[in-house]
Amino acid sequence: MVFQPSVRSLYQVLASVKNKIEQFASVERDFPGLLIQAQQYLLFRVDLSDPSPETPTKDPVQDASRTGSGKNFLDGPPKVLQPFLTNRAKVVGAPPSLPPPVRDTMLAAALFPEFLKELAALAQEHSILCCRILGDPDDACW
């Protein structure tokens, strides 16, 4: 639903983002490899941010650096992740990092499909809840 002509709809914004990612993919020669690196980097960050079962309130990065156990971001992440890391997280001799616009585009390309999945799940949940609240169970909501 568009209330003002100058305001783009969610569909238009998502289509624009998709087109920008596809345009960048057609220009960047190593797009598939960079996309895999971006996905692995994001997964690595999730692994670092997951709290351990015995200490759910402590920050795992700080806890690992104090105790010397577990993964620590500063101890030398895998080389596949180094183009996406900041200077303080890199190990010596790491390859040069990607320029920020390329790095940001690759991270956006990795996150975009996941965002669309989450959006679809929310829309489906909303449609089911609306159907249960407003409709009769015997009515066909689909």
Side-chain angles (χ1 to χ4, degrees):
M1 183 180 296
V2 178
F3 296 108
Q4 297 179 5
S6 62
V7 177
R8 298 188 318 168
S9 69
L10 177 61
Y11 176 78
Q12 290 171 324
V13 172
L14 294 175
S16 172
V17 170
K18 177 187 147 300
N19 290 335
K20 287 179 182 179
I21 291 171
E22 287 179 346
Q23 181 183 14
F24 181 82
S26 67
V27 174
E28 184 65 38
R29 66 174 173 41
D30 191 26
F31 184 81
L34 291 174
L35 183 60
I36 289 170
Q37 288 178 2
Q39 291 167 337
Q40 290 174 344
Y41 167 71
L42 292 170
L43 287 172
F44 183 72
R45 283 188 53 181
V46 168
D47 288 344
L48 285 178
S49 67
D50 283 343
S52 60
E54 61 272 354
T55 57
T57 58
K58 290 184 181 177
D59 181 39
V61 175
Q62 291 175 353
D63 191 45
S65 64
R66 273 188 241 121
T67 62
S69 65
K71 296 179 192 173
N72 189 345
F73 209 52
L74 303 175
D75 285 342
K79 285 190 178 206
V80 71
L81 305 177
Q82 290 173 358
F84 294 96
L85 301 177
T86 61
N87 288 333
R88 66 186 175 102
K90 288 184 181 180
V91 294
V92 178
S97 66
L98 294 171
V102 174
R103 182 185 64 227
D104 294 346
T105 303
M106 293 312 304
L107 292 173
L111 289 172
F112 188 64
E114 299 304 317
F115 174 76
L116 292 178
K117 291 175 194 173
E118 290 293 326
L119 186 60
L122 286 171
Q124 182 177 15
E125 181 180 354
H126 179 74
S127 69
I128 291 170
L129 290 175
C130 285
C131 192
R132 286 186 179 173
I133 292 171
L134 299 175
D136 188 346
D138 296 332
D139 290 342
C141 298
W142 321 107

